[in-house]
Amino acid sequence: MIKLTKGPEPEVLINNKGRWTRDLLAAIEEGNAEKIRAVTKRYNHSEVKTALKEETRQKCAYCEANVTDVAHGDIEHVAPKSISRDKTFEWENLTFTCQICNQNKSNKEGFVDPYKEEPDEHIFFAGAFAKGKSLKGTLTVAELKLNRIALIESRNREIERYADQLEKVFLIPDERTKELLLASMLNELDGGRPEFIAACRMVLSQYR
Ligand SMILES: [Zn+2]
């Protein structure tokens, strides 16, 4: 997990969230389950999803795997929509995740929020393994199953790739060239696009 920054709110939410929230609360008041479901689904708008994907750079906000290579991915409610109904259409409460993290999180709360918190303060990486640095970090790793086998394998592959690059850089005798190559590796990670940046940064921290 890495720190994420909220992008601009899509027009469709700005223009409709007030009405949609009123409709939803009215359906809840009515106790009309079918209507509740129908109104709730309005958050799942292509404009919203596109904006969220931009924000997470097509990756899962929780596990940092590339989602869009193999799946459509899910719009995820940080505060669960089944509990915080009034936040169903709130831009600040939406993010983009893989289906597995979304299902693992379900209607649970109390996890590290990559928008409001610095994930590095709660989760660290021992090689490919995510580990808690705080109670909240440990809970997040355990409940979202951030050490599931498929993730460990993918993370390991990326870590090895960075470690291989770093090993070659260490062998370069010219200090200036070395610095330039290291800076470009760090830049790539800072750009936010590669998978598993949080774990790969641990590898690059070795050069300091
Ligand atoms: Zn995920």
Side-chain angles (χ1 to χ4, degrees):
M1 200 185 288
I2 52 168
K3 186 95 170 75
L4 295 170
T5 308
K6 212 71 208 145
E9 182 169 1
E11 290 283 325
V12 67
L13 280 186
I14 296 173
N15 296 333
N16 297 294
K17 68 182 170 189
R19 183 169 54 84
W20 290 354
T21 304
R22 281 194 300 279
D23 290 352
L24 180 60
L25 297 179
I28 292 164
E29 187 77 34
E30 251 177 68
N32 186 336
E34 202 179 313
K35 206 164 164 189
I36 295 172
R37 254 195 311 277
V39 178
T40 300
K41 275 200 299 205
R42 291 177 189 166
Y43 75 82
N44 205 353
H45 191 281
S46 62
E47 223 181 278
V48 176
K49 203 171 201 176
T50 302
L52 289 170
K53 281 198 258 188
E54 188 85 7
E55 207 171 86
T56 68
R57 315 297 303 270
Q58 323 283 328
K59 297 190 293 179
C60 170
Y62 297 142
C63 74
E64 265 205 274
N66 271 337
V67 178
T68 53
D69 290 358
V70 289
H72 297 299
D74 290 340
I75 293 178
E76 141 81 3
H77 290 79
V78 179
K81 61 183 180 306
S82 58
I83 299 168
S84 305
R85 298 281 202 186
D86 57 324
K87 290 186 178 167
T88 303
F89 310 111
E90 199 175 284
W91 177 235
E92 300 292 321
N93 192 40
L94 302 177
T95 189
F96 180 69
T97 65
C98 71
Q99 200 186 2
I100 301 172
C101 284
N102 193 15
Q103 279 168 5
N104 288 344
K105 180 167 166 290
S106 180
N107 59 357
K108 298 189 279 285
E109 290 182 279
F111 301 125
V112 177
D113 180 340
Y115 293 91
K116 297 193 178 116
E117 290 164 293
E118 191 48 75
D120 285 355
E121 287 172 12
H122 297 277
I123 296 168
F124 74 100
F125 286 86
F129 286 87
K131 294 283 165 193
K133 260 168 125 172
S134 67
L135 205 56
K136 197 185 238 186
T138 302
L139 181 84
T140 304
V141 170
E143 292 274 18
L144 298 180
K145 299 187 172 60
L146 293 181
N147 288 322
R148 48 190 190 260
I149 293 184
L151 274 180
I152 293 283
E153 285 174 358
S154 306
R155 238 185 247 138
N156 211 31
R157 182 197 64 223
E158 283 305 291
I159 287 173
E160 197 169 12
R161 194 165 71 80
Y162 278 91
D164 282 348
Q165 278 186 47
L166 190 62
E167 189 175 36
K168 290 192 186 94
V169 170
F170 275 132
L171 295 175
I172 294 169
D174 180 62
E175 282 304 318
R176 200 159 157 231
T177 313
K178 199 189 267 186
E179 284 302 317
L180 278 172
L181 286 169
L182 286 169
S184 103
M185 285 172 80
L186 278 168
N187 249 339
E188 192 194 346
L189 293 184
D190 288 344
R193 184 63 190 98
E195 286 184 289
F196 313 115
I197 288 173
C200 293
R201 274 201 185 119
M202 295 273 161
V203 177
L204 284 191
S205 69
Q206 300 293 318
Y207 90 91
R208 287 201 182 92

